[in-house]
Amino acid sequence: MNREARFESLYNSAAEIVREQCRADVRLKKICKLLASTVEYYDWVGFYISEQGRRELVLGPYVGTPTDHIRIPYGRGICGQAADVKGTVVVQDVSSESNYLSCSIHVRAEIVVPVMRADSVVAEIDIDSHTPSPFTVDDERFLSSLAVLVEPII
Ligand code: SME
């Protein structure tokens, strides 16, 4: 299966999970597991939920190494930058990024895609990779469509 077909199949599986009747956080965690077990360079997959009044992100469902970064102020780290700019941030080499919060020494690259509702960031999809420069436009497209898909259950 080529990259595009794999992401299409992943999207369809995630859509089925969104339609399930269980709690929203359980569904989000299932989506994390699905992504981490399917894409070999997705090593940490999680959601941060936005507390918009405080301009902070709070760790939500995730799979991967436990992280110290439970609360992240807007502007700090890659997650905080994505919240500030209300857009996707891709860092193909985290060692070249000064505004970065390390979760594990094994992480080489990170992509953060905001989940938007109207003009507000309500959550983020955060993916860490142990592979250098792994992300392509296909990842950005897929994760952007996933962000739209999960918005109603945030
Ligand atoms: N690396 C992120 C922090 C979150 S952990 O990767 C899970 C950042 O710089 O915002």
Side-chain angles (χ1 to χ4, degrees), residues 88-125:
T88 295
V89 178
V90 185
V91 178
Q92 302 280 19
D93 173 8
V94 294
S95 71
S96 69
E97 172 61 60
S98 54
N99 187 4
Y100 167 65
L101 302 168
S102 175
C103 173
S104 136
I105 56 162
H106 301 295
V107 176
R108 306 291 300 274
E110 180 162 356
I111 182 168
V112 179
V113 178
V115 178
M116 302 298 296
R117 183 173 300 142
D119 191 39
S120 299
V121 175
V122 290
E124 290 182 347
I125 304 166

Side-chain angles (χ1 to χ4, degrees), residues 7-21 27 30-31 34-35 142 145-150 152-153:
F7 282 131
E8 192 178 328
S9 159
L10 261 181
Y11 178 89
N12 292 334
S13 302
E16 280 179 30
I17 295 172
V18 167
R19 285 195 293 269
E20 289 179 12
Q21 294 299 318
R27 284 178 278 170
K30 283 187 181 188
I31 291 171
L34 171 71
L35 269 54
F142 163 62
S145 61
L146 183 67
V148 173
L149 183 70
V150 300
I153 65 167

Side-chain angles (χ1 to χ4, degrees), residues 44 48 67 69 72 76-80 100-101 103 110 126 128:
W44 190 99
Y48 278 90
T67 176
H69 305 297
I72 301 176
R76 284 208 61 204
I78 297 166
C79 292
Y100 167 65
L101 302 168
C103 173
E110 180 162 356
D126 180 15
D128 288 346

